[in-house]
Amino acid sequence: LEWTKDKKIDKEYLEQADSNIFVEKKENFDFVLKELLDRKLYFKAFNLISLNINKFIVSENLILQILKNLDLNEITQKREDVSLFSYHLKQLFEILYKSTSIRKEDLVPIEFKFFYSLKRDFNFPKFIKYEFFNNGQFFIDLIKIFLLSKEKQHVDVVYDILKIFIEYDLDDKKAEDNEFLSNIYNWVENILNLVNKKDLKVISMIKEMIGERLARTPIDPEDNIFPHKEIRKILEKFNFEELRRGFLIELFNKRGINFRERHSGGKLEKELAQEYNEFANKLQNKYPTTASVLREMASRYEFDANELDKIEELED
């Protein structure tokens, strides 16, 4: 850009300029960014920072201000390349995630706003994950929004965020995951204490989703038995029908797509049923409720195995 040094003309030019603005000097960059923000041209400010990110240092607070005010509809209207936008967004979030001055309370709403772009690169946005792991009320509030909100778009985002939390496989080799797993009993207890017992629909869904969350946990490394010891404690203490149902549903769903040899019938299902029965037998004395849940899972696979064997016989 060549500046006329007439601020009125320069401002008019900014209004008409293409969104992709490159500058060579720091003073020009600072001037253009200030003018764009003064005029609330946040989409152009976003592009200015993104395109010059390797040349100039930008305040984290300015990045936060731009992301807070960026209109997602403007991106659609301008037919912005979604992949390119997501790439630039990722760069800015990496700066914010490294910041020591930005509060997580300020970033969570921004992660919600750009959730669909962020999940391509981060899968589980950093501070949304933190809130799930450390704030039981956050989980309750999302369930309430999902059940009670009349804004479909809002409900859809909340549903997808809840789904990512439920389907996130805890890895006990990751420090933050292992810490959550170690405290998961307290997490469940806290949520059940916080929720209003009169909100029957809410508490029913919370119990079921807790059960689903518990299913996505690793084998206990101490005795090589599933589920993890902390999960067994929860199943014994909070023996709710909804929690049990959620656990079984997600335990079945997490198996995903499976491939089998031709003419193998229900061989895979028989192996899974045997594994769950073996776990149940080992846990029967100390964790009878957990053993009962595992036997129910084994029965499901035994039934499926019989059905697949029948199909195999008919095909022969």
Side-chain angles (χ1 to χ4, degrees):
L1 289 174
E2 293 294 331
W3 302 108
T4 63
K5 302 201 178 191
D6 183 324
K7 288 198 171 185
K8 182 178 178 182
I9 295 174
D10 289 339
K11 286 181 181 180
E12 289 175 355
Y13 173 74
L14 286 172
E15 289 280 3
Q16 302 299 322
D18 184 85
S19 293
N20 297 327
I21 302 173
F22 293 89
V23 293
E24 294 300 326
K25 296 180 181 178
K26 181 68 167 70
E27 58 266 30
N28 286 349
F29 176 83
D30 292 339
F31 170 78
V32 175
L33 184 57
K34 181 181 182 306
E35 295 299 323
L36 291 173
L37 293 176
D38 286 348
R39 288 176 167 269
K40 296 181 170 56
L41 298 171
Y42 297 109
F43 180 67
K44 289 183 178 179
F46 172 86
N47 276 351
L48 175 69
I49 289 178
S50 300
L51 295 169
N52 296 279
I53 198 167
N54 294 320
K55 289 196 291 185
F56 309 118
I57 296 173
V58 185
S59 155
E60 291 104 339
N61 287 315
L62 273 182
I63 293 174
L64 191 65
Q65 179 188 347
I66 291 166
L67 294 179
K68 276 183 179 178
N69 291 284
L70 193 60
D71 184 356
L72 293 176
N73 292 325
E74 187 175 2
I75 299 164
T76 305
Q77 290 165 4
K78 293 180 181 295
R79 297 181 181 179
E80 183 74 3
D81 184 312
V82 175
S83 297
L84 184 60
F85 173 77
S86 296
Y87 173 73
H88 288 155
L89 188 68
K90 177 191 175 187
Q91 288 183 307
L92 298 186
F93 264 91
E94 284 174 343
I95 292 172
L96 295 177
Y97 283 157
K98 291 174 184 175
S99 171
T100 56
S101 61
I102 301 294
R103 301 182 309 158
K104 64 177 177 58
E105 292 83 1
D106 293 326
L107 266 178
V108 169
I110 308 300
E111 288 183 330
F112 264 86
K113 181 177 181 179
F114 297 104
F115 173 71
Y116 290 115
S117 294
L118 287 175
K119 77 173 187 174
R120 299 177 187 195
D121 296 300
F122 297 104
N123 184 30
F124 203 160
K126 180 177 179 179
F127 289 109
I128 288 178
K129 180 179 179 180
Y130 178 88
E131 287 296 293
F132 268 123
F133 282 11
N134 297 278
N135 182 0
Q137 190 61 51
F138 179 78
F139 182 64
I140 294 170
D141 290 343
L142 288 186
I143 299 286
K144 285 182 176 179
I145 291 170
F146 176 74
L147 289 174
L148 306 175
S149 177
K150 295 180 181 178
E151 296 182 27
K152 185 180 182 305
Q153 188 174 5
H154 203 177
V155 169
D156 289 345
V157 173
V158 167
Y159 172 77
D160 286 337
I161 290 173
L162 284 167
K163 189 176 178 184
I164 276 191
F165 174 60
I166 295 303
E167 295 181 355
Y168 176 74
D169 289 306
L170 287 172
D171 182 353
D172 55 4
K173 293 179 179 62
K174 291 181 180 177
E176 60 182 347
D177 287 13
N178 193 47
E179 184 179 352
F180 176 61
L181 191 55
S182 300
N183 294 313
I184 198 166
Y185 181 96
N186 293 333
W187 180 81
V188 171
E189 187 174 49
N190 182 46
I191 288 172
L192 294 175
N193 287 334
L194 285 171
V195 69
N196 186 341
K197 304 301 185 290
K198 294 180 181 178
D199 292 338
L200 298 181
K201 194 174 180 181
V202 172
I203 197 167
S204 178
M205 185 172 182
I206 282 174
K207 288 175 181 176
E208 186 163 328
M209 293 200 84
I210 286 174
E212 291 176 26
R213 172 58 273 170
L214 300 181
R216 292 272 184 169
T217 47
I219 285 177
D220 194 293
E222 291 184 12
D223 56 18
N224 291 317
I225 298 174
F226 178 86
H228 193 281
K229 198 173 294 180
E230 294 301 320
I231 309 307
R232 301 171 208 169
K233 293 177 187 176
I234 295 167
L235 292 173
E236 298 300 316
K237 173 73 174 180
F238 306 106
N239 187 18
F240 303 118
E241 180 186 345
E242 302 96 329
L243 192 149
R244 183 185 185 115
R245 180 173 62 243
F247 184 85
L248 288 167
I249 288 171
E250 192 58 31
L251 195 56
F252 183 79
N253 288 343
K254 78 172 188 175
R255 183 187 180 199
I257 298 172
N258 57 86
F259 299 93
R260 63 188 68 237
E261 296 176 5
R262 195 176 178 189
H263 305 306
S264 63
K267 179 185 175 184
L268 294 177
E269 286 66 28
K270 288 173 187 173
E271 290 172 354
L272 284 168
Q274 181 180 349
E275 181 179 46
Y276 283 120
N277 276 323
E278 287 174 357
F279 285 152
N281 291 336
K282 291 175 181 177
L283 297 176
Q284 179 60 47
N285 292 334
K286 191 171 182 180
Y287 304 101
T289 301
T290 305
S292 170
V293 172
L294 295 175
R295 287 199 179 95
E296 192 171 340
M297 192 75 250
S299 295
R300 168 67 187 268
Y301 279 120
E302 286 167 355
F303 174 83
D304 288 350
N306 289 333
E307 292 299 304
L308 288 165
D309 284 345
K310 288 177 185 177
I311 293 170
E312 186 67 32
E313 288 173 8
L314 290 172
E315 289 179 350
D316 288 344

